[in-house]
Amino acid sequence: MTPGLPHTAGAAGAGVGTAAAPPLLGTYDVVVVGSGAAGMTAALTAAKAGLSCIVVEKAATFGGSAARSGAGIWLPNNSVILAAGVPDTPAKAATYLAAVVGDDVPADRRKAFLDHGPAMLSFVMANSPLRFRWMEGYSDYYPELPGGLAQGRSIEPDQLDGNILGAELARLNPSYMTVPAGMVVFSADYKWLVLSAVSAKGLAVATECLARGTKAALLGQKPLTMGQSLAAGLRAGLRAAGVPVWLDTPLTDLYGENGAVTGAVVTRDGAPGLLRARRGVIIGSGGFEHNAAMRERYQKQPIGTAWTVGARENTGDGIRAGERAGAALGLMDDAWWGPAIPLPGQPYFCLAERTLPGGLLVNAAGARFVNEAAPYGDVVHTMYDRDTPTAPHIPAWLVVDQNYRNRYLFKDVAPTFVFPDAWYDSGAVHKAWTLDALAASIRVPAAALRTTVDRFNSAARNGDDTDFGRGDSAYDHYYTDPAIGPNSCLAPLWLAPYYAFRIVPGDLGTKGGLLTDARARVLRPDGSVIPGLYAAGNASAAVMGRSYAGAGSTIGPAMTFGYIAARHAAGLS
């Protein structure tokens, strides 16, 4: 038995246990743990390379966090964006990613992502019903950096008919946000739907979404977009390739022999069993966002499991199994952060709401502290970096006025419509007819809040945020109102009543996990490879490091490193 590598069920570390292996459930070339974007891409790749493969999934549904998401995919130089005329090149992409990520991630891992990403996408399109659309205008998150593109590199899945899955469609993990009944909505539509009450284009997009829904209904289709389309399309590819997907089958440990990982111990029908893997085990089981003990151990306070929108089954099982096998971990203190409102039932991850003109973020002192339109991860990093007992920034407050509410969709509440009473009862939203009364309600100094709003209003009228540069980047203008000038990011607050939304550090999932190399092989702390063990997606330390290159910087690398892992297991790279 190799120190640190379990070779039987329950043998979690050096010198632990030598009991017999659990009953054998099957032997495959590759065992994939997790049915999200990383895991299903890996399994599809393995199957098409001629390997026998199985996917095991802890949840009763497939798709993981990818199915819940908007399914943006950041993937430079792919065939979809090049066909659309996006002026990307490998050199531009490499320069940009190096500028965004810095020294946090080795250059060979960044290169592997950029080199294999386009081939991965072409492979997926050739071996599944998935097709993709360019998210035109969704800027890279730092377009002013060398190699950045203001029109963006992100793509999303095209519409898919869920009927292709038959009864299996019922096992698709639901979306985080429900699309309005009768409509077919793409991620790229969202920015315009928010503006549909005040923008001719917004109204036209809403009409188009309704027309798509009507057409699908007349054809008897079950239209899927965003993460639902991505997960369903990958699952359809696996069905066609004959890859079994076992739901309700959590990983409990890794199995090792002669220093290599040679299988996975899972719970199947309530009992432990062993799945042997001739070529390797690929961990694609997601992050640890719903594991309170791990978040307490690795991440800054305040933190918990109530502010994430990641799949609830993501409790770090694959990460912990890998660690028991001797794996090194990286980026465990970080996550795919974003400002969130802790609404009853589940948090709401804010995209457009904090960026639209007529709103500003303040801390407990009633002062602005950040460019509200900055990339969402940066906003939360700033909240944590500046949060102290004497100067709290968690929670922060998004302050808007009735003019803002009269113009823009907020979550799924139409302009001028009242918010649910439960939002107010929970303390997530406050409303008052004066700024002083609002300040009292959220317990910030009234004079400071008035001064902050006055200064913000002056900047809005001038169109120049000299304090935080809101509107200086092309990215800042994506979720804004083109009808507002001179700066579409800025509008004064002037119409009572006023609203304040409680803002906490939400996330799409954690971004730390098993440390891997450019071939997605899991590494030990000394840099050596654990033979037979691979990781991709949020179970691995992100190739994006502590930053976020553009919309889909989670899913693009997850799929790519799942593809890389399977190809290496097949001896193709």
Side-chain angles (χ1 to χ4, degrees), residues 402-480:
Q402 188 61 43
N403 180 55
Y404 174 106
R405 280 297 303 126
N406 289 343
R407 295 179 64 84
Y408 309 125
L409 179 74
F410 195 103
K411 190 178 181 285
D412 54 359
V413 180
T416 75
F417 280 53
V418 297
F419 293 129
D421 289 343
W423 292 17
Y424 295 105
D425 295 343
S426 70
V429 184
H430 296 249
K431 176 182 176 181
W433 286 91
T434 67
L435 286 173
D436 283 9
L438 187 70
S441 185
I442 62 175
R443 299 182 181 179
V444 306
L449 182 61
R450 275 189 276 108
T451 298
T452 296
V453 171
D454 286 346
R455 183 173 179 84
F456 180 84
N457 286 351
S458 177
R461 293 186 187 99
N462 294 329
D464 186 10
D465 178 15
T466 57
D467 292 332
F468 296 101
R470 180 167 164 181
D472 290 354
S473 171
Y475 172 76
D476 295 358
H477 293 270
Y478 184 71
Y479 287 118
T480 56

Side-chain angles (χ1 to χ4, degrees), residues 189-497:
D189 296 330
Y190 173 62
K191 65 168 286 185
W192 294 110
L193 294 179
V194 169
L195 304 174
S196 57
V198 293
S199 162
K201 182 167 182 178
L203 181 59
V205 169
T207 302
E208 184 180 357
C209 292
L210 185 59
R212 291 189 204 117
T214 301
K215 180 180 179 181
L218 291 173
L219 294 173
Q221 296 178 346
K222 296 177 180 177
L224 304 175
T225 58
M226 298 184 274
Q228 298 286 281
S229 175
L230 178 64
L234 288 171
R235 183 69 184 88
L238 293 184
R239 288 184 68 184
V243 176
V245 177
W246 287 2
L247 303 179
D248 294 305
T249 307
L251 173 75
T252 56
D253 217 336
L254 295 168
Y255 183 83
E257 298 168 295
N258 302 318
V261 169
T262 57
V265 180
V266 301
T267 300
R268 177 74 168 164
D269 297 326
L274 173 63
L275 290 168
R276 285 190 176 272
R278 301 185 191 94
R279 299 289 190 96
V281 174
I282 301 175
I283 302 292
S285 53
F288 59 94
E289 55 266 25
H290 284 281
N291 186 316
M294 290 181 75
R295 300 206 83 153
E296 176 79 19
R297 175 183 176 187
Y298 292 110
Q299 300 191 319
K300 291 182 180 179
Q301 296 298 315
I303 197 61
T305 60
W307 298 339
T308 181
V309 300
R312 60 185 175 84
E313 292 83 7
N314 290 349
T315 55
D317 301 358
I319 298 171
R320 288 180 290 143
E323 187 178 24
R324 290 192 296 270
L329 306 181
L331 298 175
M332 294 294 284
D333 59 326
D334 217 336
W336 301 101
W337 302 114
I341 303 171
L343 297 177
Q346 72 172 356
Y348 177 65
F349 193 93
C350 291
L351 290 174
E353 292 79 8
R354 66 190 168 82
T355 301
L356 289 164
L360 66 155
L361 285 172
V362 300
N363 59 17
R368 286 182 76 208
F369 61 92
V370 71
N371 168 13
E372 296 87 351
Y376 31 91
D378 291 354
V379 174
V380 172
H381 278 137
T382 301
M383 291 172 69
Y384 273 122
D385 290 345
R386 299 192 178 185
D387 187 62
T388 68
T390 57
H393 286 66
I394 302 172
W397 298 94
L398 172 62
V399 178
V400 307
D401 71 346
Q402 188 61 43
N403 180 55
Y404 174 106
R405 280 297 303 126
N406 289 343
R407 295 179 64 84
Y408 309 125
L409 179 74
F410 195 103
K411 190 178 181 285
D412 54 359
V413 180
T416 75
F417 280 53
V418 297
F419 293 129
D421 289 343
W423 292 17
Y424 295 105
D425 295 343
S426 70
V429 184
H430 296 249
K431 176 182 176 181
W433 286 91
T434 67
L435 286 173
D436 283 9
L438 187 70
S441 185
I442 62 175
R443 299 182 181 179
V444 306
L449 182 61
R450 275 189 276 108
T451 298
T452 296
V453 171
D454 286 346
R455 183 173 179 84
F456 180 84
N457 286 351
S458 177
R461 293 186 187 99
N462 294 329
D464 186 10
D465 178 15
T466 57
D467 292 332
F468 296 101
R470 180 167 164 181
D472 290 354
S473 171
Y475 172 76
D476 295 358
H477 293 270
Y478 184 71
Y479 287 118
T480 56
D481 185 348
I484 298 298
N487 183 335
S488 69
C489 296
L490 300 171
L493 286 68
W494 57 272
L495 182 64

